Every structure is written in C-alpha cells, then in structure tokens.
C-alpha cells in the first residue's frame, strides 16, 4: 500500500464525533406493533377521532404491504415487533415554556452537538423547534412568527390547535399507503413539525429543526407537513445527528410539502445520523419519504440535501409539478464511507404545462460503501413544454466502494427537452500531488477537491448550513482517500 | 543550494535515473535538456517528491537538509516550486482559493501571518497584469477548461505568488505560441535574483533565447552526459540529440 | 401484470415433432429450462417497458396450428435481391431453415462454416428467449474465421409470413480467431401480411488481437415481431466496432451483451432506431468491464414519430478490479409526435475506482433556430425538417463500420425517414 493510501485511511478512520448517549429516562411503550399500540399512541397524544381513524387505516394497509427490495441496499430483516413505537422525554406532561425550563442536560447535549440552541437561534435569527426523541421540547421565536401569521409548531400541537388544517392536508402529498415505510409512519408517527405560511407572507426567518434519536430500540417516525399558501415563501432547514450505539435503529420519516400558486418552499437537509462503525456495526436505517406538491401555477419547491450519515439511506425527495410553470429542484450531496449504503435520488413528475426541473446529484463513495443515485424524470402526455436538466456525478475514493446511477426517463410529450449527464471519476493522485506541491497538506487537499466537487450543491444551502455541511463532509471522509 | 549526488530512481521495475549528480547554487539558472525518455521530468518530480518514483540510491539535499525525507507539501513550503508539464484540472476548486491556501500554507510555515483576502487579491492582480492574464482567471476552477497556454501561464502566476527559492519548470515552454512563450519567459526573468535558483527542463532551446541559462546539462538515459554553458544548447539544436548519445556511448 | 403464458403442452408437441438431426437432446434441455422459468413480464426490471404479449399470442396461435414450418424456397427473390446487390460471403437462414446451398458455396480459406447438426453441442443454460430459441431451433450456423477475408461475411435472416401466424428461429455462433480482422453484415428482413415472430440469437467470440466490424440491420415488415440476443466476448487487445439499425417491426426487442474479460479490449457500438405508428423498439445493452484497461463507447440515437414507443436501456458494469476502464454511453432522441414515448435508462454500476465513466441522454425536438435558418434560406418546413432529421441520423449512418454496407444503409434509412416525415406530425410539432 502506498503512503498516500495509508494517509487516506487514517483520514477516514476519524471517529464519529456525535456519539454519546444522554441519560434521560424515556417514557416508552414496550416493543411491538398492533392496533392497540396505534390506539395507545393516539391516546397519549390526546388526538381527535379523525387522527386515530387515519392511523388505524394506515396500519391495516401496512399489514398488507411488502417491504420493498428493489433498492441497491442490503440489511438484515427488520423485526417490526422488536421496535418500540413511542418514546418521549419524561417531562412530556409538563413541557417547558421557555429555554429556562428546558432540562439543562438536554441543552448540554445540544451544546455537545455544536447546536447551542439559544445562541444559534439568536445569532442566526433562526427559530429552532428541537425534537429530542420524538417530542418537541423547545420552540423559539414563536411570537415573531405568529405576528406574521406563520404557524410553526410540533405536529402534535398542530393536531390540537389546528385540526382543520391537518385534516385538510395530511396525506394529500404522500398518501397513507404510498409505500411500506410511509404506511408504517402514518400508523405510528410520534411527532414532527408543522408549518403553515398564510397567503402572501414571506416567512420572516429560516425555520429549522434538529432531530435526534435517543433511547435504545426506539424507532423514529417523524412527520412533517409544510403548507405554503398562495404567494408565500418559506425556507426550512432540517438537520440531524444521533448518538453512537450498537443496535440498528429504524428511521422512517415522512415529509409533505404543499406549494400553492406562486408559492415557494425551500427545504434543506443536513443528515448526519450515526452511520455505524468501520465494520458496519450499528447505524441508522434511514428510510424516508419526502415529496413536494407544486399544486399551484408558478410554484416552486427546492430540495437540497447533504447526506453524510446513516448506515442505510433510502430517500427520494420528489416533486409533483402539477401547476403550470411550476419548478422543481433537487440538489444533493450523498457521502457513503466505510460500510454505509445509500440509495437516493429524486423523482420529478411533470404534469402541468411549461414545468421545469433541475437535478444535481453528487455522490461520494469511500471505504467499502455503496452509493447509488436513483432518479425518475417523467413527462406526462399533457405536460407541454417540460424541461429537465440532470447532472449526476460520482466521485470514488478507494478500490472497494461502489458508485451506481439508475436514472429513469419516461417521456410522453414531444415538446419535452430532457438532458441527462453523468460522470464518474476519482480523486486522482495527480490532483493530490499538484496541491501538495503547492504546499497544501494532503488532508486539506482532499477536502478541497471534494468540496470543489460538491460546490454546485453547497451554494444552494443557506449560509450557516453550508459551513456546517462542509465541515461535516470533511469529518465524514476523514481517512477515506487512497 | 541544491545538491544531488548519484541519484537513482525507478518506477515499478524500470530504472529511470541511474546515478545523476547536479549542484545548483543560489542565483543560477540551469537548463536541463535531453531527448524524450531521458529522465528530465523524472528528475523534476523526484525533487518535488512525487510518490510514483522510488528513490533507490543517492542523496538530494536542499540547503543541507535531506530533501528525500520530506513530504511533497513540506518541500513546497521550504521553497521548492515545480511548474508542471501537464497542470492538473481540479473542477470546482476556485483558482484563487487554491492560490491563497498555498500562499498561506507557506507563510504559516515561515512563521508569518496569513494574508487577508484584500491583500491577496491586490497582489494576485498585479502579478496577473505582468503576465497578461485576465483577472477573471482567478474565479475559474483550477486549470478547468484552460487552454494549454493558459495552464502554463497559470503555473507561472502561482510561481510568482509563491516566490520559491528553487523553481523547477518542467517543459513549461512546450505547446506555447510565441506570445505565451514570451509571457512565460517574462515571468521567469522577473523572478531571477541572487537568492533564487531556477531549473528549466526543456526539450528545445527555444525558451533559452528568452531566458539565458548559466549552465546547460544534457541528460541521456538517466545521467547527465554533458554540461556546459549556453552554447551547448545551440550546439544541440544544430546537431541533434543523436550527437550526444553517440558522444556518450563513445 | 402477467401476460398469458405460452402454451407449454403445445410447445412440447411442436418441439418433439421437429426432425431429429442430433439437436433433440439440447432442444429437450432448453425446453425444460424454459418451462421452469417462463417468459419475463413487466415486473422484471429489464422488461419494465416491454410487454411480450404479442410474442405469446403469435406463438400460441402458431403452436395451436401445430407449428407449421414455412417453406424457405419461396423467399428466393428477396434473397437474390440482397445477396446479389451487396458483395459479401452470404449465408442465409430463411424461415428458420439454414440454406445449404449458401453454406456449400463458401470456399474462402479464411471461413469455416458448419451447421450445429454437424457436431451437436450440449445445451447451456440461457435467458428465457434464448431457451425458446434453442428449443425450437431447426439448425444453427457455426462460423469460424481463421484468416482475413477479402469481403464481409453476410448473414441474412429472412422470413415471409403468408398464412396465419408464423414463428422462426435463427441461431449463429461465430468464432474469430486471434489476430484476424473480420467484417460481418447481419441482415434481418421479412415480408408478408400475416403476423410473424422471429427470435434470433447470435454469439460471437473475438480472439486475442482480433478486430471485428459488424453491422446489423433490422428492416422487418411492420406487423412483425422480433426478439434477439447478441452476445459478444472479447479477448485480450481485441477490437469491436458495431452498429445496429432498427427500421421496421411492430415489436422489436434487442439485447446486446458485451463481455470484456481480458485487458486491452476496445469496443465501439452505435445504434439508430426509427419508429413510426404502431412500433415499439426496445434496445437493451449491457457491457461488463471485468478487467482493465478497456474502453467501451456507445451511442444510440432515435427518431420517433406517430403512435410509437422506444426504449433504450444502456448498462455499464465495472467490476471490482477493472481499473483503467473507460466507459461512455450516449443516447439522443428526437420526439416528433404527441403520441410518441421514449423511456431511457442509462445505468452505471461501478465497483472500481480508477475508472472514467460517463453517460449523456437527451430528449428533444429539432433545433428551432436551425429550422428557421433553413427556412430563411428558402426551404419549406417539410424540407427543412427532413434535412435536420437526416442530419440527426447521419452521424450514426456515416460511422457505419462496414463500408460495403454504407450505401445500402444510407438508402434504407433515407427511405424510412422520408416515410416518417410524410406522416402528419409536422403540423403537430411546428404549429
């Protein structure tokens, strides 16, 4: 082995920094899934009858569905009866009204993660709805938002306070039985975020949620619903990081976005769930359904994601371009190192007239990881004037990883203009030597090259997220170059 | 400054340098000439520390320091600059960013503070003006989509910014039109100083019309077979490399 | 989603009634394997866009009728027209029968021809359609090219379906010996008003340092159905330049598999498909880069007009350790009708790091600026459209690897394009 590859390996072997467990007693249901569990979840959350009914229908549909096997990922069979479907910090009954009331241990956890809630919120002007385990424990800037008429709260609160809105939009983008994991989520989802931007309102700040998984053996089933009424605008940031532990944990979230006429939703994610160790022990199974519905004319939904974590990622943030002139975007950086597996991409379904979509996917594979882009661009017969541009690049670091692209293009209208480009390359020894000859250390050179590779995606992220994403990328790839 | 003694190297099983010795003092300009495959580029890369070459014998010291022990970036920070024959494209990495990172890496090594963005840009623009380079180059990806001439000018720009003590230019003249050649020569001449040494690796004597060397060495089969002053280059031009080979084997 | 199955009892009867020329054991083995696996359905990822129901329907009707063997002598006029106009060493499979007259006529030293029945080989497990081929095969052609030839070797597969549904198989094995340079013409043509299903298999081994240029033309009658599997394995430093032209047929499915198991191989393959009303043309290509260095480059282009659907699925797999692989795929489509559909799927599966792989796919229309430019120079809309459509196809035609065929290909591509442009699409697209 050359010195160069040894160096790369040492880079890759840097430890996961966010691995620790906060010792808080969780109020959990015993493992197992049946109708009683679904009823218990709904009862604990004091949900109105329509929610229970919705959950039960989802559960019954889920029972008849099969776990999908088409993705380019492999994992041992999940026993859904070994998962506990509800856990919340003990203080659930008496939730803090302000940061002062928040359990200091929790705040400390966020500090360790580099998410100093109050500071970050104040400095960055961001309202943070922090989900610890499954229940929201702190929400800030609520007042400022409510002045603008924006509703930003936990899903549970929304069910209590805005049941009409929830009932109107829930499941209209990702139907209960959309897929196996979405159905499971619909039956047992614990909490999540709810955002409603009224007509003509430009959300005065970027909305942000940090998710964490804690409590052993606890599946996480968040559900997020964002509704942007006519002419409104919102930018939503989602970031995750999880503590280190050995059991695999299932995360099956659902995100639904609805953009009405002239509305715009920008949804950014930095995902850093625990990826497991170098040998593939532990790590999160991240099976997520994210979909945006450009319901009105001239609406726009933009997904940006930086996926560095999880043992397995199965995720295709998609856009239904129903409104005329609507725009869908997908910008993605997916890093898979060690034994990670990622099968991620997007679907752009062109339905309205003169719709356009852009896909930029940057996949980085290192170690023994498998990284696949899977995407669908579909132009329906009535979608006159559809445009798509797809750029799909893979960067390989090391000889034992895999990089795959599975793009599907189904074009049923002759006025469509579809362009798809893909490339695969590696960090060349020549590039590294060139940088080093200019005095730049190897590790920095690797970061520089990888960041250059991802540039088109990073520039779509909100500033503070972009910085975090770059840092995350270098941590994720430490030791990877060889 | 640079002292090479009996240097031997190989790539895989192929021996390239076979006992090469060379001494370069501050203030001197040396031209290394030779036919294709004689080991010219290898010599440049071995001095810079390219890992594909295995050094199997001999010593290389730089101001008394054993160069062969140093990582490529350490050699660079000590003041050795290699102008690449084929400058590498690094998509997405901003030219200015690389240059600034390189300048600061060296300054840090020398115990100096980092230059700020304003200072850096001012300096870079000045240097670019002397090389007839469009300032827009700074915002493009490193060598990305550059023409051959643009890449070579970019190398000279980097050299000018990094102010090396020893600059090795590996066939920087190849593939250049006359204007680009003159610009490159201007950049090299601007760098000539009593504290600095320059090694020009070249196949043709054309560059030497514009940059006058103090010494000319002819490399053949991994050894210096002949050394002289600049008239040697002219002689070579006239008689061709066969003449050296014959002379060497005779 | 499952289409009706092939009637296996009838199939067994027909297979058993085939004359015993030594192929009976391999037919029986193929039948058993086929029975076990059945035909693929839309649920199979590789058949997601192509429904084999027409194959099943035609075959079942033919099987019910007892699998009548169509006479091959009646095709003499078509055979003559082609073999006399194109200068090549011709071999002919007519209505599924190897024409002995052509086999016997080959005298060139560098070409060894035999029939499968001359030296029957044991059955090797294959894909379902190839199994079906082996089960129903009357006889196949085995070719060994041992020295360079003065002109191309032509393989003409010709069918005429006059009565009700017809089914014909063709199977060709080619071995090109090390260092030999060879040219092949593979020509599939048919006529007749009845429905017809042709199923062809061609496998080729290109020896070390050998160089093959291969052109494949499919110009079947508009109601005919064809499935074909072409497998090529390349030896060390071998070269293959291939081009495939699909012009006719109601349902066409081509599977091209290229296996690069030795270093130094270089493969270039092009394809052109022209589809009009009622046509469904599906090209699946797969390149397995097992070792490096090796290069594969493919470019398929399609022009679609009328109620038709085309599928292009290009897959490049770079196996572990295949460093030094350079694999490129390109697929460009012109959609000229509201009723046309293209499904494109360029796939890369990469398990090595020192590789250069790329693919590019486009779907679009004629360049409006170019169209306007031509019209401003006095060409009418239709003519301008024709010029640009031809230009789109021309790259693939002009790169045709076998020069002896370039003229013929140009002529039939032009004829087919003219038919396509004559259709009423122009007003749709340009209005």
């Amino acid at each position: 082995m050359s010195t160069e590859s040894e160096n790369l390996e040492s880079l890759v072997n840097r430890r996961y920094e966010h691995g620790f467990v906060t010792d808080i007693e969780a109020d959990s249901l015993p493992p197992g899934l049946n109708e009683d569990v679904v009823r218990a979840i709904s009862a604990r959350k004091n949900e109105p009858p329509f929610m229970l009914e919705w959950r039960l229908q989802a559960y019954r549909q889920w029972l008849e569905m099969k776990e999908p096997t088409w993705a380019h990922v492999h994992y041992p069979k999940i026993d859904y009866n070994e998962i506990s479907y509800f856990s919340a910090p003990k203080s659930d009954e008496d939730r803090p009204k302000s940061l002062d009331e928040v359990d200091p241990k929790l705040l400390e956890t966020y500090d360790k993660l580099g998410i100093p809630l109050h500071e970050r919120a104040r400095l960055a002007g961001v309202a943070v709805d922090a989900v610890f385990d499954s229940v929201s424990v702190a929400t800030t800037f609520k007042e400022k938002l409510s002045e603008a008429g924006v509703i930003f709260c936990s899903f549970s609160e929304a069910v209590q306070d805005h049941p009409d809105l929830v009932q109107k939009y829930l499941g209209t983008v990702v139907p209960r039985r959309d897929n196996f994991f979405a159905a499971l989520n619909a039956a047992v989802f614990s909490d999540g975020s709810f955002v409603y931007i009224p007509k003509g309102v430009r959300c005065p700040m970027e909305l942000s949620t940090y998710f964490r998984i804690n409590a052993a053996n606890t599946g996480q089933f968040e559900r997020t619903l964002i509704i942007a009424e006519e002419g409104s605008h919102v930018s939503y940031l989602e970031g995750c990081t999880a503590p280190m532990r050995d059991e695999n944990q299932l995360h099956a979230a659902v995100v639904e976005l609805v953009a009405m006429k002239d509305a715009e939703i920008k949804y950014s994610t930095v995902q850093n769930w625990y990826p497991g160790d170098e040998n593939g022990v532990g790590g999160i199974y991240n099976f997520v359904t994210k979909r945006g519905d450009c319901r009105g004319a001239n609406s726009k939904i933009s997904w940006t994601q930086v996926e560095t974590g999880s043992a397995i990622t199965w995720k295709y943030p998609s856009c239904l371009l129903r409104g005329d002139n609507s725009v869908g975007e997908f910008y993605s950086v997916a890093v898979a190192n060690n034994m990670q597996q990622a099968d991620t991409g997007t679907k752009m379904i062109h339905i309205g007239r003169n719709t356009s979509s852009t896909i930029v996917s940057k996949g980085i594979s290192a170690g023994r990881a498998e990284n696949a882009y899977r995407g669908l661009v579909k132009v329906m017969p009535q979608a006159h004037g559809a445009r798509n541009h797809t750029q799909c690049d893979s960067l390989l670091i090391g000889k034992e990883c895999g990089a795959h692209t599975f793009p599907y293009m189904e074009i049923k209208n002759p006025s469509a203009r579809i362009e798809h480009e893909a490339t695969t390359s590696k960090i060349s020894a020549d590039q590294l030597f060139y940088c080093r000859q200019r005095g730049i250390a190897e590790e920095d050179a690797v970061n520089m090259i990888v960041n250059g590779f991802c540039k088109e995606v990073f520039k779509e992220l909100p500033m503070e997220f972009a910085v975090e994403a770059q840092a995350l990328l270098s941590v994720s790839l430490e030791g990877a170059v060889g | 400054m640079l002292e090479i003694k009996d240097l031997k190297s190989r790539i895989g099983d192929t021996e390239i340098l076979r006992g090469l010795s060379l001494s370069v003092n501050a203030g001197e300009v040396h031209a290394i000439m030779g036919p294709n495959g004689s080991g010219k580029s290898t010599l440049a890369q071995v001095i810079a520390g390219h890992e594909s070459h295995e050094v199997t014998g001999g010593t290389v010291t730089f101001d008394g320091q054993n160069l062969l022990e140093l990582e490529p970036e350490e050699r660079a920070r000590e003041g050795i600059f290699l102008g690449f024959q084929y400058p590498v494209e690094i998509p997405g990495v901003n030219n200015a960013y690389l240059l600034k990172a390189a300048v600061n890496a060296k300054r840090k090594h020398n115990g100096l503070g980092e230059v700020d963005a304003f200072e850096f840009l001012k300096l870079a623009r000045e240097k670019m003006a002397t090389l007839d380079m469009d300032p827009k180059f700074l915002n493009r990806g490193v060598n990305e989509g550059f023409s051959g001439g643009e890449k070579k000018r970019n190398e000279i720009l980097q050299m000018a910014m990094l102010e090396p003590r020893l600059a090795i230019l590996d066939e920087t003249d190849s593939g250049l039109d006359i204007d680009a050649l003159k610009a490159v020569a201007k950049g090299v001449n601007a760098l000539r100083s009593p504290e600095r040494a320059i090694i020009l690796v070249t196949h043709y004597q054309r560059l030497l019309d514009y940059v006058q060397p103090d010494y000319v060495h002819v490399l053949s089969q991994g050894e210096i077979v002949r050394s002289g002053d600049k008239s040697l280059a002219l002689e070579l031009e006239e008689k061709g490399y066969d003449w050296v080979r014959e002379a060497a084997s005779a | 989603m499952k289409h009706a199955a092939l009637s296996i009892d009838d199939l067994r009867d027909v297979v058993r009634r085939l004359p015993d020329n030594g192929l009976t054991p391999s037919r029986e083995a193929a039948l058993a394997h086929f029975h076990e696996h059945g035909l693929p359905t839309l649920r199979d990822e590789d058949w997601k866009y192509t429904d084999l129901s027409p194959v099943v329907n035609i075959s079942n009707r033919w099987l019910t009728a007892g699998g009548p063997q169509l006479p091959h002598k009646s095709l003499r006029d078509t055979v003559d027209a082609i073999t006399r106009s194109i200068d090549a060493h011709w071999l002919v499979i007519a209505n599924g029968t190897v024409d002995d007259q052509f086999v016997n006529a080959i005298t060139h030293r560098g070409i060894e021809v035999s029939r499968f029945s001359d030296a029957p080989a044991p059955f090797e497990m294959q894909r379902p359609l190839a199994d079906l081929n082996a089960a129903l095969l009357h006889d196949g052609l085995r070719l060994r090219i041992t020295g360079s030839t003065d002109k191309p070797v032509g393989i003409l597969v010709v069918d005429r379906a006059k009565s009700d549904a017809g089914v014909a198989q063709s199977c060709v094995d080619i071995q090109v010996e090390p260092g030999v340079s060879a040219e092949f013409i593979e020509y599939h043509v048919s006529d007749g008003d009845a429905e017809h299903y042709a199923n062809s298999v061609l496998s080729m081994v290109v020896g070390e340092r050998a160089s093959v240029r291969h052109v494949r033309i499919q110009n079947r009658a508009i109601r005919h159905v064809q499935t074909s599997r072409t497998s090529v394995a390349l030896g060390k430093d071998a070269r293959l330049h291939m081009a495939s032209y699909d012009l006719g047929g109601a349902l066409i499915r081509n599977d091209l598999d290229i296996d690069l198991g030795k270093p130094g191989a270089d493969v270039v393959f092009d394809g052109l498909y022209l589809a009009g009303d009622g046509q469904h043309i599906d090209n699946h290509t797969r390149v397995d880069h097992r070792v490096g260095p090796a290069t594969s480059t493919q470019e398929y282009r399609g022009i679609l007009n009328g109620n038709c659907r085309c599928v292009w699925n290009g897959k490049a797999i770079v196996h572990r350790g295949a460093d030094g692989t350079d694999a490129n795929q390109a697929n460009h489509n012109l959609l000229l009708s509201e009723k046309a559909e293209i499904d494109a799927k360029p796939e890369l599966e990469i398990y090595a790091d020192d590789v250069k792989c790329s693919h590019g796919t486009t779907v679009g229309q004629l360049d409006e600026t170019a169209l306007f430019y031509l019209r401003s120079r006095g060409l009418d809309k239709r003519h301008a459209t024709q010029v640009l459509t031809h230009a789109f196809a021309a790259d693939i035609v002009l790169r045709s690897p076998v020069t002896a065929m370039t003229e013929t290909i140009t002529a039939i591509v032009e004829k087919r394009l003219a038919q396509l442009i004559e259709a009423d699409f122009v007003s749709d697209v340009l209005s």
Side-chain angles (χ1 to χ4, degrees), chain C residues 89-91 106-113 142-154 184:
Chain C
H89 297 287
W90 281 104
L91 290 159
I106 301 260
T107 51
H108 194 280
R109 281 190 307 155
I111 308 169
E112 289 177 13
V113 194
R142 201 173 277 139
L143 273 162
R144 207 157 77 90
I145 312 298
T146 56
S148 295
T149 54
D150 51 340
K151 53 191 178 187
V153 175
F184 296 95

Side-chain angles (χ1 to χ4, degrees), chain A residues 72 370 381 396-426 482, chain C residues 45 48-49 320 323 335 337-338 340-366:
Chain A
H72 202 280
E370 297 286 338
L396 290 143
I397 305 176
K399 296 209 172 294
E400 289 179 272
C401 54
H404 319 297
T405 43
F406 304 108
Y408 296 68
M409 282 157 270
E410 301 178 2
I411 315 302
K412 301 175 200 285
N413 184 296
S415 60
R417 285 189 191 272
I418 308 299
E419 294 163 355
H420 176 101
E421 287 176 73
T423 65
T424 300
S425 54
K426 67 169 205 163
Chain C
E45 181 65 24
K48 188 177 160 68
Y49 300 116
R320 191 133 285 157
D323 288 320
L335 272 191
S337 158
E338 297 287 345
E341 173 173 352
I342 174 75
D343 299 302
K345 201 170 152 222
E347 298 178 77
L348 294 171
E349 272 186 63
I350 297 163
Y351 301 92
D353 77 332
D354 191 6
V355 298
K356 272 199 337 224
C357 295
S358 68
H359 61 231
T361 298
T362 59
V363 178
Q365 308 76 42
L366 294 173

Side-chain angles (χ1 to χ4, degrees), chain C residues 162-277:
Chain C
K162 267 190 171 163
S163 54
D164 194 23
V167 172
Q169 315 293 325
S170 66
C171 188
V172 182
D173 267 2
I174 301 174
Q175 168 97 34
V176 179
E177 293 295 316
V180 170
S181 169
E183 285 192 334
F184 296 95
I185 299 164
E186 185 189 346
Y187 205 144
H188 297 264
V189 64
S190 61
D191 57 30
D193 299 329
E195 287 186 315
H196 184 76
Y197 168 47
N199 185 21
S200 66
V201 172
L202 184 142
S203 53
M204 186 190 293
V205 174
V206 184
E208 202 173 309
R209 288 172 290 101
S211 167
V212 167
R213 287 178 302 286
H214 185 121
V215 59
R216 183 180 190 282
I217 301 154
Q218 178 277 116
N219 196 14
R220 289 193 169 267
I222 216 72
R223 295 187 66 192
H224 291 184
V225 171
Q226 175 165 4
T227 58
S228 67
R229 177 167 292 275
T230 306
S231 321
V232 189
L234 273 80
K236 188 167 180 287
D237 297 323
R239 304 171 79 83
L240 171 69
H241 183 185
M242 199 167 181
S244 175
Y245 303 86
D246 279 290
L247 302 146
L251 170 65
I252 298 293
R253 164 67 181 240
N254 299 319
D255 279 282
L256 171 61
D257 294 344
I258 294 175
D259 193 286
L260 306 178
K262 297 283 183 316
D266 181 8
V267 180
V268 175
F269 57 108
D270 294 328
L272 180 69
Y273 43 92
L274 308 178
D277 262 337

Side-chain angles (χ1 to χ4, degrees), chain B residues 171-182:
Chain B
E171 307 226 4
T172 300
D173 54 331
S174 64
L176 295 186
D177 63 31
I178 190 69
D179 290 335
L181 185 72
K182 281 182 180 166

